[in-house]
Amino acid sequence: MDKKKVAVPLVCHGHSRPVVDLFYSPVTPDGFFLISASKDSSPMLRNGETGDWIGTFEGHKGAVWSCCLDTNALRAATASADFSTKVWDALTGDELHSFEHKHIVRACAFSEDTHLLLTGGVEKILRIYDMNRPDAPPREVDKSPGSVRTVAWLHSDQTILSSCTDMGGVRLWDVRSGKIVQTLETKSSVTSAEVSQDGRYITTADGSTVKFWDANYYGLVKSYDMPCTVESVSLEPKFGNKFVAGGEDMWVHVFDFHTGNEIACNKGHHGPVHCVRFSPGGESYASGSEDGTIRIWQTGPLTLDDSEALSANGSIDKVKVAADEVSRKIEGFHIADEGKSKAKDEDVEESS
């Protein structure tokens, strides 16, 4: 591999324990945002472009395993080892709802239309909460065969996918019937499952393998062996020509989607990488690690092909966001001392 320039990431401090999940909002009129989940029980919201801290959602009493923002980045949801999923106002940081479960909640996801919230965890039950009727009991989808690790929506909220901690495969459920319609077979447990921005691919990580599946016909499109056990993988959203993977070796690897060749290897984390995600415009990607930091890496200068494609698609600067545009989000947020860990109830935790 040719000698590459050393990438210098933006390093985001603030979490006092491992960062286990990251989620980027789509581009909104106020720019785009990054939310992080950590075992320190305090999810954080940041400006997605600069990594600047906006606020901390305070209220969980155990490790937070999963986090997400709705399409407009107006609400956040977090799933925790304290047996609850909480929904927050992303503008003020206020807790809007707390949905109690009977065991650790490992995953949560807002539907594309923002009206529904999907949760799953150690109870082996997928629940769908109606955000318009939050006091109503949730709809319970047919029992999951194992403890739920990941959840996601696809097909304009008609299908949900879920993987398990204790068995291989990704199961796809028809929302209307509540039945499994397809299983994508993998040898190992799927630790990361992402639906591509254009809805074409499902990207999964199981063990040391990354797979790309056709999201409509469910066929396996590509499968690549990784240099180590990989915990998380994300496909570049604009062109789909590269993907990023992170795992046990503490490095953040970038690969060519078409060939599987490694394009770049970013070193900097001091512990295993638990989560990687591309920003909505593909100009950067974030990694979260056992070392408690989030690092935001620039994708690098656009190649000629990329520039031509961009000028054909419209303005390159579409997703640039000025700092003052996020001031509305910052006003009224409960500002907590970033990085100061407060005395909290003992962490309720489960090793992943």
Side-chain angles (χ1 to χ4, degrees):
M1 201 172 73
D2 302 350
K3 200 169 181 197
K4 301 283 190 300
K5 279 191 202 151
V6 178
V8 181
L10 293 165
V11 183
C12 309
H13 297 282
H15 285 297
S16 57
R17 299 291 312 283
V19 177
V20 290
D21 195 26
L22 292 169
F23 184 95
Y24 276 105
S25 76
V27 179
T28 75
D30 296 316
F32 61 95
F33 299 88
L34 175 65
I35 187 173
S36 54
S38 166
K39 291 186 184 178
D40 67 6
S41 80
S42 301
M44 292 185 180
L45 186 71
R46 296 176 186 274
N47 176 321
E49 188 180 29
T50 64
D52 290 343
W53 176 78
I54 294 173
T56 299
F57 299 101
E58 299 192 320
H60 277 300
K61 292 184 167 59
V64 176
W65 285 111
S66 175
C67 57
C68 60
L69 293 161
D70 69 9
T71 311
N72 309 309
L74 297 177
R75 286 176 303 186
T78 51
S80 172
D82 67 8
F83 296 13
S84 78
T85 294
K86 292 183 187 292
V87 178
W88 315 81
D89 184 319
L91 298 178
T92 65
D94 293 333
E95 183 181 310
L96 299 176
H97 312 292
S98 186
F99 299 123
E100 300 308 314
H101 292 60
K102 293 186 180 70
H103 213 306
I104 291 163
V105 195
R106 281 299 298 261
C108 60
F110 279 112
S111 59
E112 199 182 325
D113 68 9
T114 76
H115 296 317
L116 303 171
L117 179 68
L118 171 63
T119 70
V122 180
E123 272 185 275
K124 305 183 182 180
I125 296 169
L126 293 167
R127 291 185 173 89
I128 298 173
Y129 292 87
D130 185 340
M131 292 291 95
N132 299 321
R133 297 167 56 234
D135 298 330
R139 181 178 159 205
E140 295 190 357
V141 179
D142 198 17
K143 220 167 153 56
S144 166
S147 175
V148 176
R149 171 71 186 254
T150 66
V151 295
W153 297 83
L154 62 164
H155 303 151
S156 304
D157 305 332
Q158 292 173 42
T159 311
I160 53 181
L161 69 76
S162 160
S163 71
C164 297
T165 313
D166 38 14
M167 62 179 68
V170 171
R171 275 147 286 278
L172 293 122
W173 317 69
D174 179 285
V175 172
R176 253 175 302 187
S177 69
K179 297 284 179 253
I180 296 175
V181 288
Q182 186 76 30
T183 300
L184 311 179
E185 298 293 350
T186 65
K187 272 193 210 151
S188 310
S189 165
V190 171
T191 51
S192 166
E194 177 189 76
V195 180
S196 65
Q197 200 166 278
D198 60 8
R200 280 177 65 189
Y201 298 112
I202 298 166
T203 306
T204 61
D206 72 291
S208 57
T209 311
V210 168
K211 293 184 172 72
F212 298 92
W213 311 80
D214 185 304
N216 296 304
Y217 301 102
Y218 305 131
L220 181 61
V221 180
K222 293 187 182 297
S223 178
Y224 296 124
D225 290 328
M226 296 285 105
C228 71
T229 299
V230 169
E231 197 171 328
S232 184
V233 62
S234 185
L235 180 63
E236 195 280 327
K238 278 284 182 260
F239 307 106
N241 56 0
K242 55 175 84 87
F243 64 94
V244 59
E248 274 183 3
D249 66 1
M250 309 188 207
W251 299 344
V252 181
H253 302 269
V254 186
F255 298 91
D256 183 291
F257 170 77
H258 301 289
T259 65
N261 295 336
E262 185 167 300
I263 303 166
C265 177
N266 299 314
K267 303 177 181 181
H269 280 298
H270 302 290
V273 177
H274 294 308
C275 43
V276 291
R277 282 293 173 259
F278 262 104
S279 66
E283 65 288 306
S284 61
Y285 48 94
S287 54
S289 163
E290 184 74 16
D291 66 16
T293 68
I294 299 161
R295 287 166 195 260
I296 298 176
W297 313 81
Q298 298 308 306
T299 304
L302 293 170
T303 64
L304 186 65
D305 300 349
D306 291 356
S307 311
E308 282 169 359
L310 264 176
S311 54
N313 289 344
S315 162
I316 290 180
D317 297 321
K318 221 186 292 184
V319 295
K320 282 274 178 271
V321 48
D324 55 354
E325 284 183 22
V326 298
S327 60
R328 186 167 67 84
K329 276 230 177 353
I330 299 171
E331 281 165 27
F333 211 108
H334 303 319
I335 302 296
D337 280 359
E338 185 179 5
K340 274 196 185 171
S341 61
K342 299 165 194 65
K344 292 201 172 74
D345 300 22
E346 266 183 67
D347 268 2
V348 186
E349 266 182 39
E350 179 205 57
S351 61
S352 44

